[in-house]
Amino acid sequence: MKKTLLGICCCVLAVMASAQVTDWKSVTKYDKKSAKEKLTKRFTHYVTFDTQANPSAGKVPSTPGQLALAKELAKELKKYGAKNVQVDKHALVTADIPSTTNKPAPTVAFVAHLDTAPQLSGAHVKPQVHKDYQGGDIVINAEHHLVLNAQNAPQLAQATGHDIITASGGTLLGADNKAGVAILMTLVQYLYDYPDLTHGPLKIVFTPDQEIGTGARLVDTQKLGADYAYTVDGGALGEITNDTFTGKAFTAHFTGEHAVDLGQAMNSPFADNILMAADFYTLLPRQARPDTTSGRRGYIYVDTFTTQGDTTTLTGILRAFTDAEMDQLTHQLNHAFRTVKAMHNKATATLEVTDQFTNLHDKIPADLLTLTRQALTQEDIKPVLHAARGTTDGAVLSANNLPTPGLFSGQFNAHSEREYADVDVMEASLRTLLRLTGLWGLQTKN
């Protein structure tokens, strides 16, 4: 179900109205240096919480550090005047920022996630702040020859003069998504410190286990009561994520019989389940692997290959931006499976394909994007619509009738030792959110 902003078609009138309101920067006496200091202090504190997600845990949160960070954020939210602050047993945090206008404005939620990726440790993170970057390599760990350079961090070409934060080697930094968490908490502080800022009702949401796809499913969008939302979980300056992968998962089981005399295998019931699984893997199209695709092309990927007794099991994923491409990838998967079954008629095999998440693109109203672009433009930031080669909590929330595009947060090289945060891009994200709260306060709820 798409929602429509009342009066947004009169876009020029909305901009003129916003120009008549005291600019938020003059109300806050905004100082970029001070904002960067707040963001840096918060971020370097939050990354010390080990919130690495565990896909094998079978519970939410999948790790105890997420609940510890959730409780810390709840205390901070209360300190800065948030109302109805709640932390549930799953480490889901929700809070209200009351409206400062008498106008019946839409309710807008801002969302960030607590967890970090399972690929690399999030324990004992030691952040390093590299101030006023002036080009060249950034050394993360000299002993292990771990550096950021033009090849592995091309975004640094736009970061001259910026403050860059890295870890110290051996761990993730946690910019994905503690950059977003720091931005949202700094937003809350600004709204508390400057009650004269005009805005409608706001919601703050911190979700667990985004990296393994379980946390946002626990958000009751109807109970939350927001009309629109944003995830603050993107990368480069100006990015608005309005397009994500649709995802499916698959599991293939191949069962043969090994309990025979291998010397007499030719004329026996012998069936090689490992070979069958290997043939299936080999038949999957190499031109549709993640390392051979980019942009808006999807892929098929086998992520586990295990053998126990007479059964070999493969699990994997399908990713595509369009239904047509997903149908094509699913056809290629099924064709490889049927071919293998025909090749190995002494063995048995099963293939199961399940839905994981859907592209948020069709759930985002055009007028929501129009207002979002206005906010960036008024902060002298060029809006860039971004197709994310992954998914976000916004895809889950959008599927549950809460339109939720994503916004940039200054995180780069996610899921690796070379992960870093650009504090100046984080500061630009904070300004964008402050501008958005004012623009939304000018709208009239349907």
Side-chain angles (χ1 to χ4, degrees), residues 17 32 117 312 335 364 429:
K32 180 177 178 178
T312 299
H335 177 72
I364 307 301
S429 178

Side-chain angles (χ1 to χ4, degrees), residues 281-323:
Y281 190 17
T282 302
L283 284 170
L284 294 175
R286 296 199 175 198
Q287 73 275 15
R289 285 179 50 84
D291 51 331
T292 62
T293 60
S294 62
R296 289 180 52 82
R297 283 188 59 209
Y299 58 82
I300 304 174
Y301 180 62
V302 173
D303 52 22
T304 68
F305 191 121
T306 59
T307 297
Q308 185 172 6
D310 287 344
T311 299
T312 299
T313 300
L314 282 75
T315 65
I317 56 176
L318 307 174
R319 297 291 186 262
F321 280 101
T322 66
D323 291 342

Side-chain angles (χ1 to χ4, degrees), residues 138-437:
I138 294 177
V139 178
I140 298 174
N141 188 302
E143 181 181 355
H144 293 95
H145 308 288
L146 188 65
V147 301
L148 296 178
N149 56 37
Q151 288 70 46
N152 59 44
Q155 306 90 349
L156 288 177
Q158 285 79 49
T160 301
H162 294 194
D163 293 346
I164 304 298
I165 305 178
T166 69
S168 300
T171 70
L172 293 169
L173 172 62
D176 180 10
N177 181 226
K178 288 165 186 170
V181 174
I183 291 164
L184 291 192
M185 284 305 315
T186 306
L187 169 71
V188 172
Q189 181 181 354
Y190 268 92
L191 296 177
Y192 175 76
D193 288 344
Y194 300 98
D196 291 337
L197 286 173
T198 299
H199 61 80
L202 306 172
K203 303 278 185 176
I204 304 297
V205 182
F206 297 118
T207 60
D209 287 324
Q210 184 271 346
E211 298 291 353
I212 56 177
T214 55
R217 301 178 191 279
L218 301 176
V219 179
D220 185 335
T221 55
Q222 187 171 2
K223 182 180 177 181
L224 183 66
D227 299 292
Y228 307 95
Y230 297 91
T231 55
V232 186
D233 188 20
L237 180 70
E239 282 185 356
I240 304 170
T241 300
N242 71 321
D243 208 353
T244 59
F245 274 144
T246 291
K248 293 180 183 288
F250 65 87
T251 301
H253 297 288
F254 302 98
T255 301
E257 185 173 337
H258 281 194
V260 300
D261 180 353
L262 294 180
Q264 304 297 321
M266 183 173 179
N267 297 309
S268 75
F270 174 77
D272 192 340
N273 49 286
I274 299 174
L275 177 61
M276 192 177 189
D279 285 341
F280 173 67
Y281 190 17
T282 302
L283 284 170
L284 294 175
R286 296 199 175 198
Q287 73 275 15
R289 285 179 50 84
D291 51 331
T292 62
T293 60
S294 62
R296 289 180 52 82
R297 283 188 59 209
Y299 58 82
I300 304 174
Y301 180 62
V302 173
D303 52 22
T304 68
F305 191 121
T306 59
T307 297
Q308 185 172 6
D310 287 344
T311 299
T312 299
T313 300
L314 282 75
T315 65
I317 56 176
L318 307 174
R319 297 291 186 262
F321 280 101
T322 66
D323 291 342
E325 185 182 31
M326 180 58 77
D327 289 344
Q328 180 185 27
L329 294 176
T330 304
H331 172 76
Q332 291 172 323
L333 181 77
N334 285 320
H335 177 72
F337 180 74
R338 289 193 299 269
T339 301
V340 168
K341 283 191 71 173
M343 291 167 58
H344 298 267
N345 56 17
K346 290 183 181 179
T348 60
T350 61
L351 175 66
E352 180 183 12
V353 181
T354 57
D355 294 332
Q356 290 183 301
F357 46 81
T358 59
N359 191 335
L360 62 78
H361 183 271
D362 293 338
K363 302 291 185 178
I364 307 301
D367 40 16
L368 170 56
L369 294 177
T370 297
L371 191 69
T372 307
R373 286 194 191 99
Q374 282 184 39
L376 272 73
T377 300
Q378 290 179 19
E379 291 302 319
D380 297 319
I381 300 169
K382 181 181 178 181
V384 180
L385 293 181
H386 175 63
R389 288 181 61 79
T391 190
T392 69
D393 280 343
V396 177
L397 298 175
S398 295
N400 289 330
N401 296 320
L402 177 57
T404 309
L407 291 173
F408 65 98
S409 66
Q411 55 173 278
F412 301 96
N413 289 357
H415 303 190
S416 78
E417 285 185 274
R418 293 183 175 87
E419 184 182 23
Y420 71 92
D422 185 323
V423 181
D424 289 69
V425 179
M426 292 171 64
E427 183 273 333
S429 178
L430 172 64
R431 284 190 283 113
T432 299
L433 298 190
L434 285 163
R435 179 68 67 178
L436 270 172
T437 61

Side-chain angles (χ1 to χ4, degrees), residues 2 7 40 44 51 59 62 67 108 133 155 165 278 331 336 366 386:
K2 291 187 177 180
T40 300
T44 54
T51 61
K59 60 182 180 179
S62 64
L67 187 57
V108 179
Y133 172 70
Q155 306 90 349
I165 305 178
H331 172 76
H386 175 63

